[in-house]
Amino acid sequence: IQWFPGHMTKARRMMEDQLRLVDVVVELLDARIPDSSINPMLRQMAGNKPRVIALNKMDMADPVKTEAWLQKLKQKSVPVCSIDCHTGKGVKQMISLVKEAARPVTEKWLKKGVKNRDVRLMIVGVPNVGKSTLINRLAGQVKAIASDRPGVTKQKQWVTIAKGLQLLDTPGVLWPKFEDPETGLHLALTGAVKDDIYDRRDALVLLLQEMLEKYPQQLAMFYHITLDPVDTAETVMEKIGAARGCVKAGGVLDLNKVEQMVLYEFKTAKMGRFTLDEPK
Ligand code: GDP
């Protein structure tokens, strides 16, 4: 996996410019990988700005683990909630957390005699974590006006989403962290990084290893296979291929097909609701 420092410098500068405009930051994490979807530099960039964490796509994550993650983060005194942007579940709670997090800021304003100032917030997160979906949900009908003139960048817009609360309609895009191969593959498995910068077979092997370790029954049931204690990612791949009839001409197992199928079924939660990062 490669990264280009030039890109990163630019992304960082853009993020810092955006952060200057707001009072509160909502950091969206993927509930399936709350650790891997963190960008450790956000804290540095946001300084002391109040932050709320929302574990998104809760509908795709293991509910027991999501609860454990919420408890863990609450113990660290981080305001945190879990949400589902498709149904809107948890979004109200998220807004109350934002208001609560903003209280020190509004109190400071009051002391200075500043009245009627709205709290401004923005949504940040790694690609594909659901930022635009959340912004659209919060903004509702109040669609921002995009310029249709070529070469004219859309102006940033503020949308009032609750009394005294304005949302920046442009999400803050954070770059994914590539600290170790496992983190990168978790990001790939959930769709935060593109297919072409990771090895799909590596991703599948890691996924099956983790499924064998954490969710063996669900894996066996979904693919109608029987698992043995000696099974490895490789033998499971073969079992899945056989069960699903992934064969090439001459009856040879088509591992590319298995790869494509299993990765898709995991990413889209057809396989079930699983969390890969452990709330250790
Ligand atoms: P962005 O790159 O962070 O702006 O992500 P998008 O808002 O474009 O969302 C990426 C994908 O995730 C889209 O296919 C969304 O429909 C999907 N998505 C967003 N939020 C949720 C959610 O809470 N649950 C599920 N299941 N899918 C979601």
Side-chain angles (χ1 to χ4, degrees), residues 136-191:
N136 285 337
R137 172 163 282 278
L138 290 170
Q141 296 309 311
V142 207
K143 279 270 147 37
I145 312 141
S147 170
D148 54 6
R149 278 177 296 161
V152 178
T153 337
K154 200 184 91 173
Q155 287 288 308
K156 284 192 181 57
Q157 311 248 354
W158 297 97
V159 188
T160 301
I161 56 163
K163 194 165 173 285
L165 205 56
Q166 289 185 20
L167 170 72
L168 184 65
D169 75 346
T170 323
V173 185
L174 292 169
W175 55 96
K177 68 171 172 186
F178 293 123
E179 274 176 5
D180 52 80
E182 192 178 296
T183 301
L185 291 173
H186 278 181
L187 287 161
L189 285 166
T190 51

Side-chain angles (χ1 to χ4, degrees), residues 56-57 59-60 84-86 126-133:
N56 189 33
K57 308 198 185 184
D59 56 306
M60 299 172 109
D84 167 358
C85 287
H86 278 166
V126 296
N128 218 39
V129 72
K131 299 179 294 298
S132 313
T133 314

